[in-house]
């Protein structure tokens, strides 16, 4: 049975310091190897903060998307690859479906944060992330059909697929950690 600990507090109240102390206790008191501890946060920036403050190997502090990306085998990310984004935008789709990428891509083992400005893709991702609890809005249906075809044609996935496929296909987090710490858990969606 997994232990659940919850640290609540305003910014600057010492939550990350407490996480560091907890990790040190697992290592010192419980003899857990630091390589068996994974830390995750919602954004790459927050994961970098964890990486700098909590004593675990660099690759063990990442976003959930980066961990999922590793777990499913480093697939091509349609909404994270500027060439695929260009191909999508030039494929004869309605202009309102275009992806306006600010900063995307896969950087070594760490995935860039999702920052597209695309209402259709964002709405579709949100619907999927919230567990598909309501019917898909009718105006999204043509976009979804074309987007799913595009991913199939290009043998790619999207950001939400990373989480969905990792949940479906991965037996455990990469490295099979003994401890899994989620920072800023309130920012995560149900999946």
């Amino acid at each position: 049975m997994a232990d659940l600990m919850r640290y609540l507090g305003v910014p600057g109240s010492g939550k990350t310091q407490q996480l560091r102390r907890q990790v040190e206790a697992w290592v010192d008191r419980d003899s857990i190897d630091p390589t068996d501890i994974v830390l995750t946060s919602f954004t790459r920036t927050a994961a970098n903060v964890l990486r700098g403050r909590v004593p675990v190997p660099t690759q063990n502090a990442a976003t959930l998307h980066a961990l999922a990306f590793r777990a499913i085998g480093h697939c091509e990310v349609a909404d994270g690859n500027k060439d695929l984004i260009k191909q999508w935008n030039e494929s004869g789709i309605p202009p309102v479906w275009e992806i306006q990428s600010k900063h995307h891509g896969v950087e070594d083992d760490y995935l860039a944060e999702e920052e597209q400005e695309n209402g259709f893709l964002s709405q579709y991702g949100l619907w999927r992330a919230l567990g598909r609890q309501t019917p898909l809005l009718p105006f999204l249906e043509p976009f979804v059909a074309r987007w799913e075809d595009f991913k199939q044609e290009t043998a790619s996935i999207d950001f939400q697929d990373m989480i969905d496929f990792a949940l479906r296909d991965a037996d455990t987090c990469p490295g099979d950690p003994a401890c899994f710490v989620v920072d800023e858990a309130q920012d995560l969606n149900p999946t």
Side-chain angles (χ1 to χ4, degrees), residues 126-136 190-191:
L126 180 62
W127 176 78
R128 292 164 65 203
L130 294 175
R132 301 164 173 90
Q133 296 172 357
T134 60
L136 186 63
T191 56

Side-chain angles (χ1 to χ4, degrees), residues 39-128:
L39 307 169
T40 189
S41 195
F42 184 65
T43 67
R44 193 170 34 142
T45 300
N48 284 335
V49 168
L50 289 174
R51 196 174 296 125
R53 295 185 186 170
V54 182
V56 298
T58 300
Q59 71 274 11
N60 286 25
T63 64
L64 273 178
H65 283 94
L67 293 170
F69 185 71
R70 285 185 230 151
I72 62 174
H74 301 291
C75 300
E76 193 64 53
V77 183
D79 51 336
N81 175 303
K82 62 183 166 185
D83 294 330
L84 286 175
I85 291 170
K86 182 178 179 187
Q87 184 179 342
W88 166 258
N89 288 344
E90 294 175 353
S91 69
I93 57 161
V96 295
W97 292 1
E98 288 183 7
I99 298 173
Q100 305 301 318
S101 178
K102 291 184 200 174
H103 176 74
H104 271 298
V106 176
E107 299 176 0
D108 299 327
D109 289 334
Y110 300 102
L111 207 52
E113 294 170 30
E114 186 175 5
E115 296 178 348
Q116 79 272 352
E117 295 176 356
N118 177 280
F120 284 83
L121 186 57
S122 295
Q123 286 293 316
Y124 179 43
L126 180 62
W127 176 78
R128 292 164 65 203

Side-chain angles (χ1 to χ4, degrees), residues 14-21 49-50 53-54 183-184:
K15 296 182 302 293
T16 303
Q17 179 71 9
Q18 185 60 35
L19 284 176
R20 183 185 62 74
R21 283 191 208 113
V49 168
L50 289 174
R53 295 185 186 170
V54 182
D183 186 32
E184 304 295 342

